C-alpha cells in the first residue's frame, strides 16, 4: 500500500467511526454525552485559565533568571556607556593634524582617567578605553600613518568620529525592557551591562507528571502484552523545553491503589500543573474523571474535537486564583503530543506570564486527508517553501513526529495541495524554549 493509499484508508476508518459515534446534525456524540470543544476554543480556554492566576515572583541571580519573565521593568541603573569611550583601536587626537605623539603608554580599557590632551597632541587608545578630556576624534589605526613623532591621517577626520559618548545607549533610569519580557541570553547581557546582579522574575511553572497504566515497561523490549513506557522519557524534557520546571515524574497503576494515589497526587501536589497520561476516556480502569469529581475539580475542557488526542481534558484544581490545574493527556504517544500542544503549552505560557506564540501558516505539499468533523494535527517537515506531511502519524506512533519540525493544523475534510495551514512548532525545531 502506498503512503497516499494508507492515508486514505485511515481517513475512511475515521469517517466510519465518526458516523457511528456522532450525530452529524447535532455535531456531538449520540447518547446524550457532552460535546467536545473545538480545537481553537480549547487552546483559548487553556490560555485564559493560566492568565487569571495570581502571579508568583522571586528575586534570583542573573544566571538563574534565564527563560523566566521579568516581573518588574528593567531600568538602567547607570548611563551606558558610563563614560566617553573609544569605539576603535587607534589614536585619540585633539585639534587639527598632523599631531605630535605623546610619549609613553596609551589608553587601555579598564585604566584610570587619562590625562587631558593638549591641542595638536595624539595618544594611542584601545577599544573601550576612556577618552582623554579635550579629545576631538579617534582615528582608526588603519586610517593613520606615523612619521617619527608625528601622526598623519590618511583620510579626512570628522569631529567626534569613533567616540562613544556617555549615555549613547541609555541614561540612568531609562526603561530598557517592560515587565513581561522573556529573559533571553541577550537580556542577561543587557542587565549585567546596566548594573544588575539579580532580577525579579516570575518563576517557571512547576509540573508533576503522572503516567498511568499497568501495561508499561520501564526497560527492555515489549513482550507478553506489555509495552514500553514511551511517555516518561519524552514528557519531562518536552515540558522543560516549554519552560516548565518538572518537579517529579511518577508511574501509577490502574488498580484501586493507583486511583487512590492519583487522588492524593491531585489533592496534595505542590505543582502548578499536574499532567496525567491515559485514563481520560470512559473505560473500566479510566480513573481520571472519577478522581477529578471526588477532588471537587472544575472541568474547563472535557474532550477536544481534534485527532489524534480527542479525549484530552483540562481541569482547575482549587480556586480560580491559586494557579493549580490538571491536563489529562491520552495514553497514545502522538495523541499525548497533541494534548501537550493543544492544552499544556498555552496554559504554561500564560502561567509563566508569556504572550502566546505568534501564529503563522505554510503551504502544504500535496493533499492531506481530513477528519469529517474534527481538526487533525499532522507531523510535517518544513522546507524553504512547503510543509511536507510525514507518514506514521497514527495516535500510537512517534516515528513521524520524531522526524518532524512541527504539526500542521488540518481543518475538517482535509487540505488541498498548496493550501496554507497553521503550523505548531516543536520546541526544539523552533530554536528553544517558548520562542
Amino acid at each position: 500500500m502506498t503512503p497516499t493509499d494508507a492515508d486514505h484508508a485511515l481517513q475512511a476508518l475515521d469517517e466510519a467511526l465518526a458516523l457511528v459515534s456522532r450525530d452529524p446534525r447535532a455535531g456531538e456524540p449520540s447518547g446524550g454525552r457532552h460535546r467536545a470543544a473545538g480545537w481553537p476554543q480549547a487552546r483559548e480556554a487553556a490560555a485564559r485559565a493560566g492568565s487569571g492566576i495570581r502571579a508568583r515572583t522571586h528575586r534570583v541571580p542573573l544566571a538563574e533568571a534565564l527563560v523566566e519573565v521579568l516581573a518588574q521593568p528593567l531600568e538602567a541603573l547607570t548611563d551606558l556607556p558610563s563614560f566617553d569611550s573609544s569605539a576603535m583601536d587607534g589614536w585619540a587626537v585633539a585639534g587639527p593634524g598632523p599631531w605630535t605623539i605623546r610619549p609613553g603608554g596609551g589608553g587601555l580599557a579598564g585604566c584610570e582617567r587619562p590625562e587631558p590632551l593638549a591641542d595638536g597632541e595624539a595618544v594611542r587608545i584601545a577599544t573601550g578605553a576612556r577618552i582623554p578630556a579635550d579629545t576631538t576624534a579617534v582615528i582608526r589605526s588603519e586610517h593613520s600613518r606615523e612619521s617619527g613623532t608625528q601622526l598623519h591621517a590618511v583620510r579626512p577626520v570628522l569631529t567626534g568620529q569613533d567616540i562613544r559618548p556617555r549615555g549613547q545607549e541609555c541614561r540612568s533610569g531609562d526603561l530598557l525592557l517592560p515587565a513581561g519580557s522573556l529573559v533571553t541570553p541577550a537580556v542577561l547581557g543587557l542587565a549585567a551591562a546596566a548594573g544588575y546582579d539579580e532580577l525579579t522574575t516570575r518563576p517557571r511553572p512547576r509540573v508533576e507528571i503522572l503516567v498511568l497504566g499497568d501495561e508499561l515497561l520501564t526497560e527492555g523490549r515489549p513482550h507478553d502484552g506489555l509495552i514500553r513506557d514511551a511517555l516518561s522519557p519524552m514528557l519531562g524534557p518536552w515540558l522543560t523545553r516549554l519552560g516548565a520546571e518538572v518537579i517529579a515524574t511518577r508511574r501509577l497503576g490502574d488498580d484501586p491503589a493507583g486511583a487512590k494515589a492519583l487522588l492524593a497526587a491531585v489533592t496534595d501536589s505542590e505543582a502548578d500543573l499536574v499532567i496525567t497520561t491515559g485514563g481520560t476516556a470512559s473505560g473500566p480502569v479510566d480513573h481520571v474523571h472519577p478522581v477529578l469529581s471526588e477532588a471537587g475539580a472544575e472541568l474547563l475542557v472535557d474532550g477536544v474535537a481534534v485527532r489524534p488526542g480527542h479525549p484530552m481534558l483540562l481541569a482547575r484544581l482549587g480556586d480560580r486564583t491559586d494557579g493549580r490545574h490538571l491536563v489529562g493527556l491520552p495514553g497514545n504517544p502522538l495523541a499525548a503530543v497533541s494534548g501537550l500542544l493543544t492544552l499544556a503549552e498555552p496554559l504554561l505560557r500564560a502561567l509563566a506570564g508569556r504572550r502566546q506564540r505568534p501564529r503563522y501558516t505554510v503551504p502544504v505539499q500535496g493533499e492531506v486527508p481530513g477528519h469529517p468533523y474534527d481538526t487533525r494535527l499532522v507531523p510535517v517537515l518544513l522546507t524553504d517553501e512547503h510543509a511536507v506531511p510525514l507518514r506514521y502519524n497514527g495516535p500510537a506512533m512517534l516515528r513521524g513526529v520524531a522526524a518532524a519540525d512541527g504539526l500542521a493544523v488540518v481543518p475538517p475534510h482535509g487540505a488541498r495541495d498548496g493550501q496554507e495551514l497553521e503550523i505548531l512548532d516543536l520546541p526544539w525545531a523552533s530554536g528553544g524554549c517558548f520562542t
Side-chain angles (χ1 to χ4, degrees), residues 10 13-14 17 231 234 306-311 330-338 376-377 379 392-399 401:
L10 285 173
L13 177 60
D14 269 345
L17 291 173
L231 294 177
M234 176 175 72
V306 65
R307 303 301 174 107
H310 62 283
N332 280 322
L334 187 57
V337 169
S338 173
R376 281 189 72 203
L377 301 182
Y392 309 108
N393 52 36
M397 298 179 179
L398 287 174
R399 185 172 173 182
V401 74

Side-chain angles (χ1 to χ4, degrees), residues 250-302:
R250 292 191 285 153
R251 296 178 179 85
L252 303 179
D254 288 328
D255 56 3
K260 184 177 180 180
L262 177 60
L263 177 61
V266 168
T267 304
D268 301 331
S269 176
E270 296 181 355
D272 302 299
L273 172 62
V274 176
I275 297 273
T276 63
T277 70
T280 56
S282 302
V285 293
D286 290 334
H287 299 306
V288 174
H289 281 93
V291 163
L292 289 175
S293 178
E294 187 173 353
E298 178 185 0
L299 280 171
L300 304 178
V301 175
D302 190 9

Side-chain angles (χ1 to χ4, degrees), residues 145-192:
R145 175 176 56 84
E146 296 178 60
S147 178
T149 61
Q150 295 291 300
L151 178 73
H152 301 267
V154 299
R155 59 177 60 185
V157 177
L158 302 177
T159 299
Q161 73 179 28
D162 288 327
I163 294 176
R164 295 174 181 150
R166 176 174 181 164
Q168 181 184 47
E169 184 170 3
C170 65
R171 290 291 184 181
S172 180
D174 282 355
L175 175 65
L176 302 178
L177 290 169
S181 300
L182 180 69
V183 179
T184 64
V187 172
L188 293 179
L190 176 62

Side-chain angles (χ1 to χ4, degrees), residues 289-331:
H289 281 93
V291 163
L292 289 175
S293 178
E294 187 173 353
E298 178 185 0
L299 280 171
L300 304 178
V301 175
D302 190 9
V304 179
V306 65
R307 303 301 174 107
H310 62 283
M312 67 181 74
L313 60 83
L314 168 63
R316 180 183 288 121
L317 309 175
D319 64 42
R320 292 177 178 270
T321 59
D322 73 356
R324 298 186 63 243
H325 290 83
L326 180 142
V327 168
L329 303 178

